[in-house]
Amino acid sequence: MSDVDEDAVMSDVDWQEEMHQDGVEEDEKVQLCHLTQETISQGLSLLCRTGNGLGHAFVKLDLKDKGLNDIAAISSYIHLRFLDISNNRLIDLSPLASLTQLLWLKVDNNAVACFKGQPFAHLNYLQWLSMAVNQLTELDGLVGPALESLNLTGNSIKTVKGLQSSCFANLVTLELRGNHLDTTDGINLPNLRRLYLAQNMIKRLEGLEKLERLTTLHLRDNRLDSLEGLSPSMKCLQYLNVRGNAILDENALQHLGLLSKTLRALVISENPLVETTDHRLSVLTFVPQLERIDKDPVSPEERSEAWERIKVNILFLSVAWSNKNCSFAGFSNAMYIISGT
C-alpha cells in the first residue's frame, strides 16, 4: 500500500511559519524595484537545447527575494521552463504570457489578488504551480490543461466552484490549506489523487463522490462534527486525516464504513471523541481493515476485539431488522462493512 505518513507531510504550523518568516517579516527591509536585465542574468541557469533543436538557451530563472513589483523585462525570455518569483511584491503576472514553454512556476508570498487578467490561459505546458500566501479570494480565471500540482495554501479563498475537470484534466495534487472554505463542494476533479484542505472552516463534506481516484484526503483543523458525505465511490481512498475537528461520538463515525474496502490509515486525534471513548475500537468497528490509527499500527488484539463487537452488532441488527425496529440505512451499512472485508 502506498500509505501517506502524517509526519511526511509538512504540518500546517510549519508552512505558516516558513511562509511568513521568510516573506513577511523581511518585507520591510526590501526596497521595491523593477526587474532589470542584470538581475535576470544573475538568476539564469540550466542551459538546454531550445524547442526547435536549433540552439541553446538558459531555461531556469530564480528571482525570489528581489523586492520586485514589476517583471515586464521577463517577457522576452521565451525559452524559460522553470521560474521562481516568490517573495516579491507582484500583483500583475501578465508579462508571463509570452513564456509559453513554462513547466514550473512558483509565485509564493506575493500580492496577486485574482486570476482574471493573469496569463495562465497561455501557459499550456505548465505542470506545477504554487501561489501560496497571496491575496486570492476566488479561482475564476484559472485554467491549467497540463497542471498536475496546484498549491494555493494560505490565501483567502471561500469557494472552489471553478475547479472543473474540463479545465484541470491532469490535476492530481491540490493544496488549499489555510483558506476560508466552509465546504468541500465544487471540486469536480475525478482524476485528483491528493487533496489537502487543513485549517479551513469546513463544516460539511459535499461533492466527494466525484473524487473517484482520490487516495489522500487531509482535513485537519476544520469544524467537522460528522463524516457524513464520505462516499463508496471514493474507491481508492487510503489515507484520511480529520485531526482537530469536532467529532463527538461513535455515531459520527458510521460513514467510515463506506470506505472499509480501501481505507488503511486514519488520523482522528484531537477530537472530543478521543477523550470520551475507546476511539480506536470504535473506529475499527466501522473500518476493521485499517492498518494504522493516528501514529500507531493496529494490533492483532485490537482487530480481534473489533471483530467480536462487529459480530454482536450484526446479530443485534439482524434481530432488530426482523422485528422492523432497525432502519434500512443502519442494516445496509453494517452489511457493507462485512462485504468489504
Side-chain angles (χ1 to χ4, degrees):
M1 179 194 69
S2 57
D3 186 13
V4 180
D5 192 334
E6 181 186 18
D7 294 332
V9 180
M10 179 181 288
S11 76
D12 308 303
V13 175
D14 289 342
W15 68 251
Q16 282 188 322
E17 291 179 350
E18 179 177 302
M19 292 297 186
H20 291 287
Q21 287 178 1
D22 292 346
V24 176
E25 292 180 2
E26 296 182 359
D27 274 352
E28 296 181 358
K29 302 177 184 178
V30 179
Q31 184 177 359
L32 293 178
C33 62
H34 298 282
L35 181 60
T36 66
Q37 296 296 331
E38 180 181 2
T39 302
I40 292 176
S41 64
Q42 292 172 350
L44 287 169
S45 63
L46 192 58
L47 188 64
C48 293
R49 191 179 296 275
T50 56
N52 59 16
L54 301 178
H56 290 79
F58 289 106
V59 300
K60 184 176 182 180
L61 178 57
D62 186 346
L63 295 175
K64 64 178 180 287
D65 298 305
K66 302 298 182 185
L68 299 171
N69 63 346
D70 173 72
I71 53 172
I74 204 174
S75 59
S76 61
Y77 289 80
I78 60 174
H79 299 295
L80 286 176
R81 301 174 193 169
F82 308 93
L83 176 62
D84 188 347
I85 48 176
S86 56
N87 299 339
N88 286 290
R89 299 289 184 86
L90 298 173
I91 297 174
D92 179 20
L93 304 178
S94 60
L96 303 182
S98 60
L99 309 185
T100 57
Q101 303 303 306
L102 275 180
L103 303 175
W104 189 97
L105 175 61
K106 187 174 183 180
V107 197
D108 295 352
N109 274 304
N110 278 281
V112 180
C114 67
F115 287 107
K116 292 179 179 178
Q118 303 294 1
F120 296 100
H122 301 276
L123 308 181
N124 291 326
Y125 300 109
L126 191 65
Q127 298 176 15
W128 190 94
L129 173 63
S130 182
M131 295 189 65
V133 194
N134 276 270
Q135 298 175 15
L136 299 166
T137 59
E138 60 182 15
L139 303 181
D140 289 352
L142 176 62
V143 294
L147 269 182
E148 297 179 4
S149 178
L150 175 60
N151 184 359
L152 300 172
T153 291
N155 283 280
S156 301
I157 298 168
K158 297 180 180 179
T159 64
V160 289
K161 61 183 179 181
L163 288 172
Q164 303 299 318
S165 57
S166 58
C167 299
F168 302 94
N170 293 300
L171 196 64
V172 295
T173 301
L174 175 60
E175 298 205 36
L176 282 162
R177 310 179 201 221
N179 281 279
H180 297 165
L181 302 175
D182 64 2
T183 176
T184 56
D185 194 31
I187 306 176
N188 184 13
L189 299 169
N191 291 322
L192 197 67
R193 305 292 199 278
R194 294 170 289 277
L195 178 57
Y196 300 98
L197 296 171
Q199 289 196 326
N200 279 276
M201 298 177 286
I202 296 172
K203 300 177 182 179
R204 303 179 305 280
L205 299 179
E206 299 173 299
L208 296 180
E209 68 276 359
K210 302 170 185 175
L211 306 181
E212 297 181 358
R213 298 187 181 181
L214 199 69
T215 62
T216 298
L217 179 56
H218 199 287
L219 289 159
R220 177 178 174 179
D221 295 334
N222 277 283
R223 300 179 182 180
L224 296 169
D225 60 10
S226 168
L227 296 180
E228 183 178 0
L230 296 176
S231 169
S233 65
M234 303 170 73
K235 51 192 175 184
C236 295
L237 194 68
Q238 298 181 12
Y239 175 90
L240 175 62
N241 189 324
V242 290
R243 177 178 176 178
N245 277 270
I247 299 171
L248 184 61
D249 55 35
E250 289 187 10
N251 291 330
L253 300 177
Q254 61 181 327
H255 291 86
L256 284 173
L258 302 176
L259 306 176
S260 61
K261 293 182 180 180
T262 61
L263 196 66
R264 293 295 178 266
L266 175 69
V267 181
I268 198 170
S269 57
E270 298 179 20
N271 278 277
L273 168 75
V274 174
E275 304 299 326
T276 59
T277 66
D278 183 352
H279 72 286
R280 292 177 66 87
L281 181 58
S282 298
V283 166
L284 286 171
T285 303
F286 293 104
V287 201
Q289 296 304 308
L290 272 180
E291 297 175 4
R292 180 164 64 85
I293 301 174
D294 298 323
K295 293 186 176 182
D296 298 318
V298 173
S299 69
E301 292 77 16
E302 288 177 314
R303 198 180 308 280
S304 177
E305 186 176 354
W307 272 115
E308 290 303 315
R309 179 185 284 195
I310 290 170
K311 292 175 183 178
V312 171
N313 288 346
I314 293 298
L315 178 60
F316 172 79
L317 288 170
S318 297
V319 172
W321 175 253
S322 65
N323 293 328
K324 302 191 182 302
N325 292 323
C326 173
S327 69
F328 177 75
F331 185 74
S332 61
N333 188 50
M335 292 299 102
Y336 192 91
I337 294 172
I338 294 297
S339 65
T341 59

